[in-house]
Amino acid sequence: MNEYAIEVNNVSMLFNLSSERIDNIKEYIIKKIHRKLTFENFYALKNVSFNVEKGDAVAIIGDNGSGKSTLLKVLAGIYKPTTGTATVRGSISPLIELGAGFDMELTGRENVYLNGLMLGYSKRFIRDNFNDIVEFASLWDFIDIPLKNYSSGMLARLGFAISTIVKPDILIVDEILAVGDIVFQRKCNKKMQELMSGGTTLLLVSHDLNEIRRICNKAVWIHQGGVVKIGEVSEVCNAYSDLR
Amino acid sequence: MNIYIRKFWSYKDLLFELVNRDIKLKYRRSFLGYLWTLLNPLFIMLITTAVFSQIFRFSVENYPIYILSGQIIFTFFSESTTTAMNSILGNASFLRKIYVPKYIFPVSRVISSFVNLLFALVAMIIMMVIFKVPITWHILFIPLPLICIFLFCTGLGLILSVLAVYFRDVIHIYNVLLTGLMYFTPLFYPVDILPNVIFKLMHINPMYHFVTYFRSLLYMGEFPSLEQNILCMGISLSFLLIGLAFFKERQSKFVLYI
Ligand SMILES: Nc1ncnc2c1ncn2[C@@H]1O[C@H](COP(=O)(O)OP(=O)(O)OP(=O)(O)O)[C@@H](O)[C@H]1O
Ligand SMILES: [Mg+2]
């Protein structure tokens, strides 16, 4: 019995984009009385369904604002889908957006602990693996300065190093590799290959089609919140680049 | 239910770290460091006692201890619920980007304040020795009121933290309410100076019951009546359950508003 690592079933995600933000009671009551409380309903995801087999490396491609990050946040459990279900089997390391789970005021060292704890690691585990994390991110010279003084590449390196210190069942990487330098990109590629040969399922968001063709075997193309095409990576990438 | 507890427990290190950080931040870069957790309430106590026992000369036995005991409980109440209220908004950057059990933020704030309360309690007992207030075996039961107040503040803090996400002016309203409540709780005055109507009305104020409960065990050498026990436990458990239910129902929604 081969269970899917990820099952996405008819997932829709609705955001209430109220034209003006209502965050105080007076406005709320006035608007309610005048029946002006109209929310602009905006579906960032519309009936998205797909399955991912264990060990697959799936790319998610699409234009800016098409809903890729939103989809990943649903999978990571940050958003609960408005309708539909998303089932994820196994541990998940979500690397969504730069600096996720970091406190910019704290030092690198403090953030390794804080972020690690938020990923559900124990304090002891982080302490035992602290050197490996910093070594992989090659940030020894910066580990005791606040993150607000880091470059974006350095943030990405730290984030990647923390979330891959354990072998997750599912690794989510959202556009963070693009900001790393060549040395680090090579290191990341190597690490991802290593994890994948160990059975990790990969979900990768990137705008670099060459990178995607190299790393992934499947792809999902999302446009305005809906799935356009799912399939072998070369097929989907070709269709996408032909159209764009 | 069981799963929830286990899941929450697996984040205990994070909870501990958040509490530790709150306390560390409070006394960061101060010469005396942690000693301030003890000295701070001690000094505040001395000042308020000096001021109030000069202005009002109520005939209350052990007036300084009367003031201090009411004050540390009320300070815990207002500090814990206020910081819990702001905790979801304040940690928006985490909640939007990473999955963490959301209650961990308000709960950690209440625990941090509770640690401060325990320090204040030590200071309080030092004061009791200084003022030569007899210490009786009743003090061994002091965890009872403390647990009640802790659960009460946790429940209320959970509710406030959600409300503040939807309506930012809850933060201002609550500050005003707190000031009102402070004068509506017998912290500086004895209840027997109150007109009967007001005294009756005071019974709807949970803090009145908690403060009374706390005082009788701390230094008055009385074991609270069965009625009082049931009342205090009832209030705190109801608030906790309502708070948990309220929070649970809305926790998947409010991420979209922060
Ligand atoms: N919290 C939110 N509230 C309201 N709208 C949102 C929210 N988050 C995302 N959106 C909207 O949902 C749509 C999809 O956003 P998303 O971040 O998923 O795009 P994306 O595919 O990741 O784009 P990019 O390639 O730029 O990273 C956008 O139109 C965005 O404005
Ligand atoms: Mg994105």
Side-chain angles (χ1 to χ4, degrees), chain B residues 46-187:
Chain B
L46 280 173
I47 294 166
T48 37
T49 315
V51 171
F52 280 95
S53 47
Q54 286 314 307
I55 299 176
F56 310 111
R57 292 170 187 275
F58 297 122
S59 56
V60 180
E61 226 182 310
N62 296 320
Y63 188 47
I65 303 300
Y66 183 85
I67 297 183
L68 303 183
S69 54
Q71 212 189 355
I72 63 171
I73 292 300
F74 202 87
T75 305
F76 165 67
F77 165 67
S78 68
E79 185 187 282
S80 64
T81 49
T82 308
T83 52
M85 173 170 68
N86 292 312
S87 65
I88 296 292
L89 286 175
N91 287 295
S93 56
F94 294 124
L95 292 171
R96 270 198 303 253
K97 290 184 173 179
I98 197 163
Y99 172 80
V100 228
K102 297 175 186 64
Y103 342 31
I104 215 155
F105 294 106
V107 170
S108 75
R109 295 289 173 81
V110 180
I111 295 178
S112 312
S113 298
F114 195 73
V115 173
N116 289 336
L117 170 64
L118 293 181
F119 277 110
L121 197 66
V122 174
M124 170 92 233
I125 291 171
I126 295 174
M127 295 293 273
M128 283 170 65
V129 173
I130 294 173
F131 283 99
K132 297 202 172 60
V133 176
I135 293 172
T136 62
W137 58 268
H138 295 89
I139 207 164
L140 295 176
F141 287 90
I142 214 74
L144 278 177
L146 293 183
I147 291 170
C148 279
I149 300 165
F150 176 79
L151 297 180
F152 169 70
C153 293
T154 307
L156 186 59
L158 285 171
I159 297 172
L160 288 169
S161 69
V162 176
L163 288 180
V165 170
Y166 291 101
F167 303 110
R168 307 289 147 102
D169 40 9
V170 164
I171 296 169
H172 303 288
I173 295 172
Y174 187 64
N175 278 333
V176 176
L177 281 180
L178 268 183
T179 312
L181 205 61
M182 188 177 80
Y183 290 106
F184 196 48
T185 308
L187 301 180

Side-chain angles (χ1 to χ4, degrees), chain A residues 21 23-25 97 123, chain B residues 13 17 97 168-169 257:
Chain A
R21 233 197 129 81
D23 56 12
N24 72 63
I25 296 170
E97 292 174 16
K123 186 148 189 173
Chain B
D13 282 2
E17 182 70 20
K97 290 184 173 179
R168 307 289 147 102
D169 40 9
Y257 291 84

Side-chain angles (χ1 to χ4, degrees), chain A residues 62-236:
Chain A
D63 302 348
N64 291 138
S66 53
K68 303 181 297 294
S69 299
T70 307
L71 175 63
L72 296 184
K73 284 182 181 181
V74 168
L75 293 178
I78 300 168
Y79 293 157
K80 192 173 168 224
T82 315
T83 58
T85 54
T87 316
V88 172
R89 293 199 178 81
S91 65
I92 182 165
S93 273
L95 267 174
I96 302 173
E97 292 174 16
L98 218 50
F102 284 151
D103 183 337
M104 294 296 157
E105 298 298 321
L106 298 179
T107 66
R109 183 184 301 273
E110 290 168 315
N111 268 294
V112 169
Y113 279 94
L114 189 64
N115 191 246
L117 292 170
M118 289 202 180
L119 291 171
Y121 305 162
S122 73
K123 186 148 189 173
R124 194 200 171 123
F125 176 83
I126 304 169
R127 198 182 311 128
D128 293 346
N129 289 279
F130 185 81
N131 288 352
D132 292 347
I133 293 172
V134 183
E135 189 63 46
F136 187 84
S138 26
L139 284 172
W140 279 115
D141 296 338
F142 298 91
I143 200 66
D144 287 311
I145 65 167
L147 285 206
K148 59 185 174 196
N149 300 336
Y150 276 36
S151 70
S152 23
M154 285 155 72
L155 282 179
R157 271 151 49 176
L158 194 60
F160 189 89
I162 298 172
S163 10
T164 54
I165 195 71
V166 284
K167 190 188 84 60
D169 295 327
I170 295 157
L171 177 66
I172 289 181
V173 181
D174 188 356
E175 280 185 283
I176 65 145
L177 298 183
V179 293
D181 55 28
I182 295 180
V183 181
F184 191 69
Q185 284 186 8
R186 284 197 192 124
K187 236 171 164 178
C188 287
N189 283 330
K190 204 169 136 236
K191 185 82 185 187
M192 287 194 291
Q193 299 293 354
E194 202 181 295
L195 289 174
M196 276 154 50
S197 54
T200 295
T201 308
L202 175 71
L203 281 189
L204 179 72
V205 171
S206 170
H207 293 288
D208 179 349
L209 293 184
N210 291 327
E211 185 191 18
I212 284 175
R213 284 197 172 97
R214 200 175 61 240
I215 299 174
C216 301
N217 61 340
K218 300 265 172 61
V220 180
W221 171 10
I222 293 181
H223 185 64
Q224 291 182 355
V227 175
V228 181
K229 199 171 166 69
I230 304 179
E232 293 302 315
V233 68
S234 52
E235 250 174 74
V236 180

Side-chain angles (χ1 to χ4, degrees), chain B residues 5-33:
Chain B
I5 294 172
R6 212 173 320 137
K7 209 163 172 192
F8 192 82
W9 188 242
S10 72
Y11 281 90
K12 65 178 185 310
D13 282 2
L14 175 60
L15 186 66
F16 187 81
E17 182 70 20
L18 291 174
V19 171
N20 199 0
R21 227 180 49 177
D22 278 348
I23 296 169
K24 245 195 231 158
L25 273 179
K26 195 166 170 184
Y27 300 99
R28 200 176 223 181
R29 289 203 202 118
S30 67
F31 182 59
L32 292 174

